[in-house]
Amino acid sequence: MSTVKLKECLTHIRTQLDNVVDFWLKHSHDTVHGGFFTCLGKDGHVYDEMKYVWLQGRQVWMYCRLYRTMGRFCKPEILEAAKTGGEFLRKNARVLGSSNPWKCAFCLTRDGRAVKVQRSIFSECFYIMAMDELSRVTDDKDLQLEAEQMMEQIIYWVRVDSSGLGRPSLPGDVPTNSMAVPMMLLCLVQQLTEGREEAVTQKYKELGNWCVEQILQHIQRGGTAILENVSVNGEELPGCQGRLQNPGHALEAGWFLLQYSAMWGDDNLQKTAINKFVELPYQNGWDKKHGGLFYFLDVDHHCPTQLEWNMKLWWPHCEALIAFLMAYSQTKKPELLERFYQIYEYTFKHFPDNDSGEWYGYLTQEGKVALDFKGGPFKGFFHVPRSLFMCECILTDLLAKHN
């Protein structure tokens, strides 16, 4: 392990994180109605005032995590932004008049009126992350309780009865295990139990194990592929839906599993996470001609039906950086560090905007900027800063142990 190169990476990542935080502090705060603008142009101007609940929750979570764990971000303006963002969510995220008081909107007007509801759990998931993390920096037990109550509702929707989400039961609709759902629940288990008393850890242990089992069902084709969607019995589905691969999701699941294996000392799970959810999606998803990770792939090499399938998006590369660096930190296998360096070189060559700040999110297959905005309905203050934050923490720990 070359400490010189690791130190160079650490310095650069730390600088990038400072840059990204400054960009969102400067451009995203709505000082009139609270909450955050996420539709930000290349230079940070607001091009749409819609507020997306999952991105509001992500930004609150990210501000709190930085404030709580990194001394240089323990600043009053960051805490205040997190608190006002949390207040905006608590006041506006849940849909008034809904048959279920826990159902959250997908997007809101600038002043907090619901515009659209999705029949999924993801707005609620990031509401939980925001409330739980905010409870940790404010010591507000009511926020923790609210997060746990929302969690109980999500568990009911996922494992007992999903009708409350509003999806009609259709005769041709085949029940599906989409990897995003157990991944997200596992992330929430880790969020709600981190640093809490043993009773909380035990409360969510069975759910965590269930999430792992559900994620492992996505290892298909004799262990040669991770498929995004499988049947509820863990079998491959027919058609495009069944053949779909999402390398970024698989890599993100990989480091979720690595964290969980470390939490419970599960060496077998660690090996599976690295072999099947870190190395395999990299091998299948890396563009050998132009570099970078494809967004979607078809396991049988048909052209994927997603129009952006061959584009290079910011978030899969963010997840790959975390996954390979975490895998290396747990095993010290040099080939994992080499993969990290390869992804690092591509990512920092293509995504950051060194003139206006932050990162571009959408590149062509050749690595040229396709869309130059810095935030939108799907890209907010989350994947980039989370990746930089986690990589900085892992690199700092690696160098400290080496010394």
Side-chain angles (χ1 to χ4, degrees):
M1 178 180 74
S2 169
T3 59
V4 173
K5 193 165 185 178
L6 288 179
K7 288 177 181 177
E8 290 175 355
C9 291
L10 175 58
T11 299
H12 186 60
I13 284 172
R14 183 180 288 131
T15 301
Q16 283 284 319
L17 180 55
D18 291 346
N19 169 284
V20 169
V21 173
D22 287 346
F23 184 91
W24 289 87
L25 284 173
K26 181 178 180 181
H27 298 296
S28 72
H29 296 181
D30 184 349
T31 58
V32 177
H33 295 286
F36 312 108
F37 299 116
T38 59
C39 294
L40 304 179
K42 175 180 169 59
D43 61 359
H45 71 276
V46 179
Y47 65 83
D48 194 305
E49 294 181 347
M50 285 290 184
K51 293 175 179 173
Y52 297 87
V53 169
W54 65 336
L55 299 185
Q56 301 293 309
R58 287 171 167 182
Q59 191 154 346
V60 171
W61 179 87
M62 194 72 246
Y63 275 156
C64 291
R65 182 56 63 104
L66 291 170
Y67 180 88
R68 182 168 68 89
T69 62
M70 282 190 163
R72 70 184 189 277
F73 296 117
C74 190
K75 300 177 180 179
E77 60 266 33
I78 291 180
L79 177 60
E80 187 58 30
K83 290 166 67 175
T84 57
E87 290 168 3
F88 181 84
L89 277 173
R90 296 186 83 189
K91 180 180 177 182
N92 301 299
R94 297 194 210 174
V95 181
L96 295 176
S98 169
S99 59
N100 190 308
W102 295 101
K103 192 74 190 87
C104 292
F106 175 68
C107 62
L108 309 167
T109 60
R110 179 181 178 181
D111 59 359
R113 290 169 293 137
V115 174
K116 181 180 179 181
V117 174
Q118 284 192 330
R119 291 174 285 189
S120 66
I121 62 170
F122 300 110
S123 290
E124 292 81 6
C125 287
F126 289 104
Y127 187 98
I128 290 172
M129 287 184 66
M131 293 304 122
D132 184 76
E133 193 67 22
L134 188 58
S135 77
R136 295 168 186 266
V137 298
T138 61
D139 198 30
D140 186 335
K141 300 302 181 184
D142 287 341
L143 294 173
Q144 181 187 352
L145 177 61
E146 186 175 348
E148 292 180 358
Q149 289 173 332
M150 179 77 86
M151 183 67 167
E152 292 307 308
Q153 177 62 71
I154 290 178
I155 294 169
Y156 181 82
W157 282 332
V158 171
R159 300 187 69 180
V160 180
D161 181 5
S162 64
S163 62
L165 294 171
R167 288 197 297 264
S169 178
L170 301 173
D173 186 22
V174 178
T176 302
N177 172 2
S178 171
M179 192 162 65
V181 172
M183 275 178 61
M184 194 66 238
L185 286 181
L186 184 61
C187 179
L188 293 177
V189 167
Q190 293 169 334
Q191 173 69 38
L192 292 171
T193 59
E194 180 196 350
R196 303 288 193 199
E197 57 271 19
E198 180 65 17
V200 178
T201 301
Q202 292 300 322
K203 175 182 177 181
Y204 292 110
K205 184 176 181 180
E206 186 276 332
L207 175 62
N209 291 337
W210 178 85
C211 292
V212 170
E213 292 172 1
Q214 295 293 303
I215 293 170
L216 296 183
Q217 286 186 352
H218 292 265
I219 304 172
Q220 295 287 323
R221 300 289 179 101
T224 64
I226 303 297
L227 300 182
E228 185 72 5
N229 305 296
V230 296
S231 76
V232 292
N233 297 319
E235 299 174 351
E236 185 172 334
L237 295 167
C240 298
Q241 181 189 28
R243 296 194 305 267
L244 183 65
Q245 295 178 289
N246 183 335
H249 245 173
L251 285 156
E252 187 176 17
W255 70 259
F256 286 2
L257 293 172
L258 283 174
Q259 284 191 320
Y260 197 73
S261 69
M263 177 180 176
W264 294 102
D266 190 333
D267 293 339
N268 289 329
L269 181 58
Q270 181 196 68
K271 291 176 183 176
T272 299
I274 293 173
N275 293 337
K276 302 303 181 184
F277 288 88
V278 179
E279 294 188 300
L280 189 58
Y282 165 83
Q283 293 164 5
N284 292 337
W286 189 259
D287 183 345
K288 296 175 178 59
K289 182 177 181 181
H290 299 289
L293 290 161
F294 288 112
Y295 192 24
F296 292 111
L297 292 169
D298 183 295
V299 70
D300 286 336
H301 308 293
H302 299 292
C303 181
T305 56
Q306 291 79 10
L307 301 182
E308 72 276 38
W309 73 269
N310 65 346
M311 292 179 71
K312 310 297 167 59
L313 271 65
W314 83 106
W315 71 264
H317 296 81
C318 290
E319 303 311 321
L321 289 170
I322 299 170
F324 275 99
L325 192 58
M326 187 180 294
Y328 172 73
S329 73
Q330 291 188 11
T331 66
K332 303 302 186 293
K333 292 183 177 180
E335 63 269 23
L336 296 172
L337 186 59
E338 287 305 311
R339 292 283 184 257
F340 167 77
Y341 286 144
Q342 183 183 23
I343 296 160
Y344 174 95
E345 292 298 330
Y346 179 89
T347 299
F348 288 102
K349 180 180 179 181
H350 291 88
F351 287 101
D353 179 355
N354 295 319
D355 296 322
S356 299
E358 238 281 347
W359 289 20
Y360 299 112
Y362 301 84
L363 311 179
T364 66
Q365 182 177 354
E366 295 76 21
K368 297 179 180 179
V369 176
L371 307 172
D372 71 359
F373 57 77
K374 301 299 172 52
F378 302 96
K379 183 178 185 294
F381 184 67
F382 186 63
H383 286 101
V384 175
R386 182 177 69 168
S387 177
L388 296 170
F389 160 75
M390 292 188 67
C391 287
E392 179 177 335
C393 291
I394 296 169
L395 287 166
T396 300
D397 185 61
L398 281 169
L399 289 166
K401 289 178 178 177
H402 185 269
N403 293 333

